Amino acid sequence: MNLVDILRLLSLAAIWGASFLFMRIIAPVIGTIPTAFFRVSIAFVGLLVILALMRVDWNFRGKLKVVMLLGLINSGIPATFYSLAAQVLPAGYSAIFNATTPLMGVLIGGLFFSEKLTLAKVSGVFLGLLGVGILTRAGPVAFDLQLLMGALACLLATTCYGFAGFLTRRWLDHQGGLDSRLSALGSMFGATVFLLPLFGYSVISQPPASWGGWSVWLSLLGLGLVCTALAYILYFRLLSSIGPVKSMTVTFLIPPFGVLWGALLLDEPLGMAHVYGGLLIAAALWLVLKPGVSSR
């Protein structure tokens, strides 16, 4: 990885770390489906404006339907599951469970995409999971049905991410690939189309008791424009540049950033568990990303 890719990886981790804070503010107020729908639809509109201002060539090379399907797998379904989890789990816990994405990527790659399972890669993934497990000591949550349901929702989301990373490489990277900005736009369009009827049904059948105040809608703008629109441009660029497994390791960096934002913005306390967990996560990243470990 070159310096530019490392900076993209760190920026993406910082942005996605903030997304769990935003969802924790939004989802308990307006509900699961509205949160997911507004996230992807705001991102779609934002990307339309950004790409229009940048005068991007709107040539999907016949891949629009494929990109929309990827949007369903990589955005629509995971956004729904994480919005569901945000109603019952603290933001840090969702970020921690999100760190299983590289594990899912390694397993899915080995089982379905002929990806080589090296000892260093598998060891790195499990070491990273141990690190994020230690981070849970900073804010324990009671082990109950709600925790299990929230964890299951997060794990289903990371499974979608695992498949989406490899499908993106298979469907989009041949024949010169596709502009990462168009990939992000098409994905958000597909996710919006998927969630639109679900959003309409949820509003008619069980409208939210409240649509929230300015804090909720500012959080929605941050979630849609920064944590989704901008983030997916970075993510698709990373997928093209460094491959799916290395790109998925961004999820190891999200929990530390979640802790950082919590400490800076919510005055949440820091403990030694954060130090130990962070060191293990750093070691895991080295194992997965070190030269000689192929992940493309």
Side-chain angles (χ1 to χ4, degrees), residues 61 63 169-178:
R61 302 182 183 178
K63 299 178 181 179
R169 184 176 67 178
R170 173 171 292 185
W171 292 346
L172 297 185
D173 282 359
H174 64 284
Q175 297 177 352
L178 185 67

Side-chain angles (χ1 to χ4, degrees), residues 59-282:
N59 182 9
F60 283 89
R61 302 182 183 178
K63 299 178 181 179
L64 178 58
K65 292 182 179 179
V66 170
V67 176
M68 290 178 64
L69 179 57
L70 284 173
L72 167 63
I73 300 171
N74 199 49
S75 303
I77 296 175
T80 303
F81 281 133
Y82 276 125
S83 297
L84 176 62
Q87 296 199 54
V88 296
L89 293 181
Y93 270 67
S94 293
I96 288 167
F97 287 125
N98 185 65
T100 63
T101 298
L103 173 59
M104 296 298 182
V106 166
L107 295 177
I108 290 169
L111 291 173
F112 300 101
F113 296 94
S114 302
E115 191 78 9
K116 185 178 179 180
L117 294 176
T118 65
L119 178 61
K121 190 184 296 183
V122 174
S123 299
V125 168
F126 280 101
L127 191 61
L129 292 176
L130 177 61
V132 296
I134 289 176
L135 284 177
T136 63
R137 293 171 59 87
V141 171
F143 187 81
D144 55 17
L145 183 59
Q146 278 197 333
L147 174 60
L148 288 175
M149 295 301 293
L152 178 60
C154 291
L155 292 175
L156 289 172
T158 60
T159 301
C160 290
Y161 288 151
F163 274 105
F166 287 98
L167 291 174
T168 297
R169 184 176 67 178
R170 173 171 292 185
W171 292 346
L172 297 185
D173 282 359
H174 64 284
Q175 297 177 352
L178 185 67
D179 189 320
S180 61
R181 296 166 295 183
L182 291 179
S183 297
L185 176 67
S187 292
M188 290 305 109
F189 180 51
T192 300
V193 170
F194 164 70
L195 286 172
L196 179 59
L198 297 178
F199 171 70
Y201 176 78
S202 70
V203 170
I204 294 172
S205 62
Q206 194 175 4
S210 168
W211 287 100
W214 64 270
S215 61
V216 169
W217 287 94
L218 284 179
S219 296
L220 271 170
L221 288 175
L223 183 64
L225 296 178
V226 180
C227 299
T228 308
L230 175 60
Y232 271 94
I233 290 177
L234 288 174
Y235 180 65
F236 278 107
R237 183 64 184 85
L238 277 172
L239 281 175
S240 176
S241 178
I242 64 176
V245 171
K246 286 184 178 181
S247 297
M248 291 174 199
T249 58
V250 69
T251 56
F252 281 157
L253 294 169
I254 289 173
F257 274 107
V259 171
L260 176 63
W261 298 141
L264 292 177
L265 303 176
L266 303 177
D267 295 323
E268 294 178 352
L270 295 174
M272 290 306 297
H274 297 90
V275 177
Y276 299 142
L279 290 175
L280 285 174
I281 291 169

Side-chain angles (χ1 to χ4, degrees), residues 27-48:
V29 178
I30 68 174
T32 299
I33 298 298
T35 300
F37 172 74
F38 283 124
R39 176 178 188 173
V40 298
S41 59
I42 290 173
F44 172 60
V45 173
L47 284 167
L48 275 177

